[in-house]
């Protein structure tokens, strides 16, 4: 089945409030920067990466797809997922300017589209196409209650509602304020409100330096944190290894890493406890599988980051035996024909063939931004 067309698109989908902040950025929209790959029989696969909806840099991604990858794809066998990933990722002139950044985000969109197409061709949801579900219950942890921009009283009320009304057992709170006392007070308020049985993870988005993290961890240990995510700058392996040895709070990271090699380096240094690969940055599902298998071989839990807001990762999470939990951020689900769904704190298993990446026609109209 040959590839007939490669058609990039950019959608800017508003988040569920005016804007949200973590320690590193404030955003009002999530960018769904993707590609539709059409096979000669008319089957279409959709894939996308996730961005801050910054049109100029989104266009670098779509122009990488149309100017560099499209001609390497048209006429190829659409079902040769692994071979095509290798062809694109190792194409010498593109590799020379790539391996991270724009080219890897563009590759992610292409690779996810090819997997979507392949699963649709097989008539199976991606998790079933990959080998079936290993998680009887895939727990959702709620990130959306915990933005740094939410005042403490609302943070507490939102956390309570997530537990008491929506049935979550796991929360994640953003940290990284100029004064660690502010963050500690917010976490303590939530801990008091939700009790000891709810797991509370925190996420620093790489803001603090090592001494600040050491001080924060010492004071945060009595609050029983599930993990400290991205405590330090994303590429700092030695710093994360030092912190991991110095505190009882487990370290989580991976959403900013572009390659399996980067994950290997963190794992070998003992710098990560919860491994958080993301298809939207790793160049797609093909490289994600390499990371998940490497982590699993070390018996480390894999809890993907949802740059796709969970649409694709829900399949990988149900499938892969290293994963029993998945992040939940309900921002772009309404833009898809099969939106992610959480009930009583657990993800529902997708049922339609493919990777749950097909946007609705209305979303394609309403949220589209011009490619040039
Ligand atoms: C907002 N999730 C994260 C949100 C996310 C960001 O851009 O997506 O905080 O990257 O750290 O765990
Ligand atoms: Mg994070």
């Amino acid at each position: 089945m040959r590839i007939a067309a490669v058609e990039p698109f950019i959608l800017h989908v508003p988040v569920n409030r005016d804007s949200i902040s973590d320690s590193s950025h404030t955003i009002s929209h999530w960018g769904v920067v993707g590609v539709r790959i059409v096979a000669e029989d008319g089957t279409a696969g959709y894939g996308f990466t996730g961005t801050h909806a910054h049109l100029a840099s989104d266009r670098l991604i779509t122009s990488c797809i149309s100017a560099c990858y499209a001609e390497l794809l048209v006429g190829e066998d659409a079902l040769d997922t692994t071979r095509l990933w290798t062809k694109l990722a190792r194409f010498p002139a593109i590799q020379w300017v790539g391996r991270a950044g724009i080219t890897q985000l563009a590759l992610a969109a292409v690779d996810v589209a090819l997997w979507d197409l392949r699963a649709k061709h097989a008539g199976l949801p991606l998790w079933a196409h990959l080998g079936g579900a290993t998680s009887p219950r895939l727990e959702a942890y709620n990130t959306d209650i915990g933005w740094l921009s939410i005042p403490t009283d609302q943070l507490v009320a939102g956390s309570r509602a997530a537990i008491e009304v929506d049935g979550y057992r796991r929360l994640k709170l953003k940290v990284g304020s100029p004064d660690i006392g502010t963050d500690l007070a917010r976490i303590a308020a939530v801990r008091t409100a939700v009790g000891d049985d709810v797991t509370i993870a925190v996420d620093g988005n790489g803001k603090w330096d090592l001494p600040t993290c050491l001080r924060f961890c010492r004071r945060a240990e009595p609050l029983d944190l599930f993990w400290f995510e991205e405590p330090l700058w994303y590429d700092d392996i030695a710093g994360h290894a030092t912190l991991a040895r110095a505190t009882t709070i487990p370290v989580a990271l991976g959403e900013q890493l572009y390659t399996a090699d980067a994950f290997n380096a963190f794992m070998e240094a003992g710098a990560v406890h919860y491994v958080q690969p993301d298809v939207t940055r790793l160049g797609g599902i093909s490289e994600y599988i390499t990371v998940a298998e490497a982590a699993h071989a070390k018996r480390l839990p894999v809890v993907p980051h949802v740059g796709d807001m969970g649409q694709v990762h829900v399949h990988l999470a149900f499938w892969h035996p290293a994963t029993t939990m998945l992040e939940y951020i309900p921002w772009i689900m309404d833009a898809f024909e099969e939106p992610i769904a959480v009930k009583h704190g657990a993800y529902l298993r997708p049922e339609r063939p493919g990777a749950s990446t097909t946007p609705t026609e209305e979303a394609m109209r309403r949220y589209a931004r011009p490619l040039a």
Side-chain angles (χ1 to χ4, degrees):
M1 194 170 63
R2 303 278 149 202
I3 294 173
V6 175
E7 300 162 355
F9 59 86
I10 298 173
L11 309 181
H12 287 177
V13 184
V15 305
N16 53 2
R17 48 206 109 188
D18 288 344
S19 71
I20 64 89
S21 305
D22 62 23
S23 74
S24 66
H25 56 264
T26 298
I27 57 169
S28 61
H29 291 69
W30 195 245
V32 175
V33 180
V35 63
R36 175 174 184 256
I37 298 184
V38 190
E40 26 185 34
D41 72 347
T43 316
Y46 291 83
F48 62 94
T49 189
T51 73
H52 291 185
H54 175 252
L55 189 56
S57 53
D58 288 349
R59 283 173 173 166
L60 296 177
I61 298 169
T62 50
S63 81
C64 177
I65 294 171
S66 54
C68 295
Y69 291 145
E71 67 178 10
L72 301 177
L73 292 166
V74 172
E76 285 281 10
D77 189 329
L79 302 182
D80 279 1
T81 323
T82 311
R83 187 178 63 78
L84 291 177
W85 188 88
T86 308
K87 179 180 178 181
L88 269 50
R90 300 290 178 257
F91 187 81
I94 303 172
Q95 180 178 293
W96 188 262
V97 299
R99 294 207 307 288
I102 301 294
T103 57
Q104 209 67 359
L105 298 174
L107 180 59
V110 168
D111 185 73
V112 170
L114 290 172
W115 279 95
D116 179 47
L117 206 157
R118 211 173 106 155
K120 282 173 178 163
H121 182 73
L124 294 169
L126 181 65
W127 60 264
H129 180 59
L130 285 165
T134 60
S135 315
R137 180 181 159 85
L138 177 62
E139 280 216 69
Y141 78 78
N142 193 318
T143 296
D144 200 47
I145 49 88
W147 304 110
L148 215 47
S149 43
I150 299 176
T152 305
D153 56 337
Q154 289 173 34
L155 177 74
V156 169
S159 298
R160 254 218 191 100
I163 305 299
E164 289 166 13
V165 181
D166 301 329
Y168 288 91
R169 307 300 303 159
R170 301 176 184 281
L171 307 174
K172 186 163 89 183
L173 313 181
K174 295 290 181 178
V175 297
S177 306
D179 165 23
I180 61 172
T182 308
D183 294 298
L184 288 160
R186 284 163 63 82
I187 303 164
V190 173
R191 175 56 82 207
T192 304
V194 301
D196 291 342
D197 294 340
V198 171
T199 70
I200 301 177
V202 299
D203 186 352
N205 290 95
K207 185 73 170 183
W208 285 333
D209 57 21
L210 183 58
T212 307
C213 286
L214 289 166
R215 212 172 293 127
F216 171 82
C217 285
R218 214 161 39 235
R219 291 174 62 186
E221 278 176 12
L223 295 166
D224 187 21
L225 299 186
F226 194 68
W227 71 53
F228 188 2
E229 177 171 326
E230 292 198 315
L232 297 161
W233 178 249
Y234 318 120
D235 299 314
D236 180 1
I237 298 170
H240 283 96
T242 302
L243 184 66
R245 279 193 298 273
T247 176
T248 58
I249 302 171
V251 173
L253 56 84
E255 66 178 79
Q256 293 281 338
L257 303 182
Y258 289 97
T259 62
D261 309 80
F263 278 93
N264 283 341
F266 275 94
M267 289 190 282
E268 274 156 26
V272 57
H273 299 103
Y274 289 91
V275 181
Q276 301 181 306
D278 188 328
V279 294
T280 66
R281 193 175 297 275
L282 265 177
I285 291 165
S286 299
E287 187 85 339
Y288 176 99
I289 292 173
T290 306
V291 173
E293 296 287 280
H296 192 44
K298 289 189 154 51
R299 305 301 165 199
L300 290 174
V302 174
V303 188
H305 171 255
V306 295
D308 64 333
M309 301 299 147
Q311 291 295 135
V312 180
H313 288 107
V314 66
H315 292 266
L316 299 164
F318 267 112
W319 163 61
H320 201 275
T323 302
T324 58
M325 199 192 307
L326 183 62
E327 180 168 30
Y328 177 71
I329 309 177
W331 284 351
I332 62 169
M333 51 204 248
D334 295 339
F336 295 93
E337 282 184 1
E338 189 175 30
I340 52 153
V342 168
K343 218 176 181 173
H344 307 306
Y347 270 92
L348 304 187
R349 229 157 48 183
E351 287 168 0
R352 298 194 196 185
S356 305
T357 48
T358 306
T360 62
E361 276 174 29
E362 202 208 329
M364 284 298 243
R365 262 198 318 273
R366 182 153 24 140
Y367 302 129
R369 292 291 179 272
L371 294 181

